[in-house]
Amino acid sequence: MTSKSQYPVWLECASCGHTIPFTRPTKACAQCGGEWLDARYDYDAVRELWPDALSQRPFNMWRYRELLPLRDDAHIVTMGEGGTPLLHATNLGLMLGCPHIYFKDERQGPTGSFKDRQASLAISVMKEHGITEAIVASTGNVAISYSAYSALAGIKMWTFLTSLVPSEKMREVALYGSEVIKVTTTYDQTKKVAADFAARKGIFLDRGIRGISAREGMKTVAFEMAEQLPRLIGTGDTPWRTPDWYFQAVSGGMGPVGVWKAYQEMLLLGLVDRMPKLACIQVAGCAPIVNSFNKGLEEAEPVLNPQTRVITIATGTPGPAYGYLTRVVREHGGAFEAVTDDETFRAMHVMAKLDGISMEPAAAVAFAGVFKLLSKGVIKRDEVIVVNCSGHTFPVEKHLLGDEWAQTVEVPAEASAPGRHPTEGLLGSLGQIDDRVQRIAIIEDDPKARLLLRRILQTRGEYHIFEAADGIAGLEMVRREHPDIILLDLMIPGIDGFAVLEALKSDEHVADVPVIVISAKELTADERARLSGQIDMLMQKGDFTDEDLLEEILKRAS
Ligand SMILES: *Cc1c(COP(=O)(O)O)cnc(C)c1O
Ligand SMILES: [Zn+2]
């Protein structure tokens, strides 16, 4: 099955440096038995080609072909993976006071998660090595993605899944024609069962992070980010650009390990001038990397009994990623952080409500990590943050929305009787929905900030919103509309917020309307004194969440 090699690839042992050409699956170094082998390429040749040659290529992950461990293009198994957009988290950034939060929209891969990069490469390499049957253990997304690509490549796939994987994901795996083996235990035990089965049957076992394909495939996220960032925030001294932070939800650590290697290669090639800081976020009910790092352990202490609903990243034994990532974070900065299931679901909900991005809980873990590290002051508000939005929407879980996610309209029986025009009865019924409406006035000159406030209020669906962009218009609006509450910015053109407030309080018709001041700057003691007794609440821009604001409004405008 070997064919002429278009692209040379070597395997280098991380322990002893022994190097061999990569021509077949190799588990360990022949010289020292070390199991961590790194792919190496002809970097001098690549330096000649990149970045110029790339401008001629389509924007998908195979544009980085020279730094992927496949020797012959003829074996590429592709469905258009990679090339996902790098998007600006507009409203989230406004709410948090961070102008530079971007996210890599990996939901847009062929099977809806960033595992498609790994799968496309892994299945291509299997094809190149003449493998026609393979085994993979998974918490869901790897099984889905490998199954899709192996269907295309004509490879029989055995998938071993922990029985905790939601049945929707399992059915998708089955749909692609893979064998689905549910193992009634944790993911770590499932991996062992899969390895035993592979050994017994003599079938090729995908080694996950211990193999080359997974890590090398994940590099392409970083190459793309580095190429995309200059278009969003301008170029520096190098053609491509490194963010200050890369955020990812982590289980086995394939992503951050691959991303780190990619930046090392880009640095070597002169495409970027520095490394990013890695923020590895785990879910608190299964956070072996975070906990072990905090305890200063050399080896990760496994979590034997994961307690989380976020099954996609419930890896209790992180394996070699632990040593690798802790070294990176110790030497270069970065962070390990854990977030609870509740914080995760909240982040998921916020991104959907504010920026229209619906992701699976595992991806939301990374966003919850942004909230947490911001509030801890670990990341600065003006830093450039890229979050891996790693997976697609999942059928929305019940507990995420609570009980009041829909309103039922009772239509009287006669309204739907045959032959009768139903409109009248329906309109009457819809009146029920309007009962709770409150009237809110926003006086704020920044259209983006107005949009964010409006968006936060809209998600409750019960408000009538009036807007004004300066002090004079704001005063007129309040006198005309008699709102239940006023949201007031201080730095507005014409007469400023302080003057608006004085005018309001000296007008008996509107003096008792509660006012929440939303300020962009820290106030001086003098300014605070001017506000005291006049306003109901002072909120700092970038320092409150949508829930905080809604709570304040509910407290006052009833
Ligand atoms: C696999 C996966 C992760 C975690 O990946 P690592 O192997 O830890 O890099 C995070 N989110 C989603 C959606 C995943 O499928
Ligand atoms: Zn070796």
Side-chain angles (χ1 to χ4, degrees), residues 215-231:
R215 279 136 55 197
E216 295 296 301
M218 292 310 186
K219 290 194 311 194
T220 59
V221 175
F223 293 147
E224 289 176 14
M225 275 164 23
E227 262 198 283
Q228 288 169 310
L229 256 189
R231 261 174 273 149

Side-chain angles (χ1 to χ4, degrees), residues 113-115 141 248-256 312-313 360 362-363 390-391:
S113 87
F114 79 137
K115 299 299 194 302
N141 287 344
Q248 199 203 293
V250 168
S251 60
M254 232 113 53
T312 302
I313 53 168
E360 73 168 282
S390 48

Side-chain angles (χ1 to χ4, degrees), residues 218-475:
M218 292 310 186
K219 290 194 311 194
T220 59
V221 175
F223 293 147
E224 289 176 14
M225 275 164 23
E227 262 198 283
Q228 288 169 310
L229 256 189
R231 261 174 273 149
L232 294 166
I233 55 172
T235 41
D237 298 332
T238 50
W240 295 357
R241 203 162 164 164
T242 306
D244 295 310
W245 289 92
Y246 171 73
F247 269 76
Q248 199 203 293
V250 168
S251 60
M254 232 113 53
V257 168
V259 162
W260 188 255
K261 182 169 186 229
Y263 281 103
Q264 287 177 317
E265 290 179 336
M266 288 186 267
L267 204 57
L268 186 71
L269 295 171
L271 294 166
V272 299
D273 54 7
R274 65 199 170 93
M275 302 297 284
K277 281 175 281 189
L278 300 182
C280 303
I281 315 299
Q282 295 202 291
V283 70
C286 187
I289 298 183
V290 180
N291 298 340
S292 305
F293 180 79
N294 288 342
K295 289 186 194 167
L297 302 180
E298 282 309 307
E299 292 271 321
E301 199 170 62
V303 171
L304 299 176
N305 189 11
Q307 297 292 326
T308 173
R309 286 185 293 240
V310 191
I311 300 303
T312 302
I313 53 168
T315 299
T317 309
Y322 179 71
Y324 190 104
L325 294 173
T326 49
R327 211 174 325 114
V328 166
V329 170
R330 278 200 196 103
E331 288 170 16
H332 300 268
F336 295 106
E337 189 58 73
V339 295
T340 64
D341 281 16
D342 283 351
E343 288 167 334
T344 299
F345 289 126
R346 199 181 121 53
M348 178 175 168
H349 208 175
V350 165
M351 277 304 289
K353 284 193 295 186
L354 294 191
D355 281 304
I357 301 296
S358 168
M359 65 190 81
E360 73 168 282
V365 163
F367 289 87
V370 173
F371 294 165
K372 197 143 202 183
L373 291 183
L374 254 181
S375 68
K376 283 188 168 183
V378 175
I379 51 180
K380 308 278 171 296
R381 290 184 194 265
D382 58 350
E383 288 187 298
V384 176
I385 299 162
V386 176
V387 189
N388 188 329
C389 184
S390 48
H392 61 89
T393 311
F394 205 58
V396 176
E397 296 181 45
K398 287 198 280 290
H399 52 265
L400 179 63
L401 297 178
D403 294 331
E404 292 181 27
W405 54 273
Q407 298 187 48
T408 306
V409 172
E410 303 280 353
V411 179
E414 70 270 21
S416 47
R420 191 166 184 282
H421 202 285
T423 323
E424 204 177 300
L426 269 178
L427 283 180
S429 312
L430 286 170
Q432 299 162 226
I433 296 177
D434 290 330
D435 282 352
R436 290 173 298 170
V437 171
Q438 285 172 345
R439 299 156 66 80
I440 302 204
I442 302 174
I443 307 175
E444 159 71 79
D445 63 323
D446 178 358
K448 283 192 198 154
R450 282 204 305 272
L451 190 105
L452 174 66
L453 293 173
R454 173 178 277 274
R455 183 65 204 137
I456 289 174
L457 295 168
Q458 280 173 344
T459 61
R460 282 292 166 95
E462 305 162 12
Y463 299 105
H464 201 128
I465 302 162
F466 308 93
E467 296 179 17
D470 64 63
I472 304 274
L475 275 175

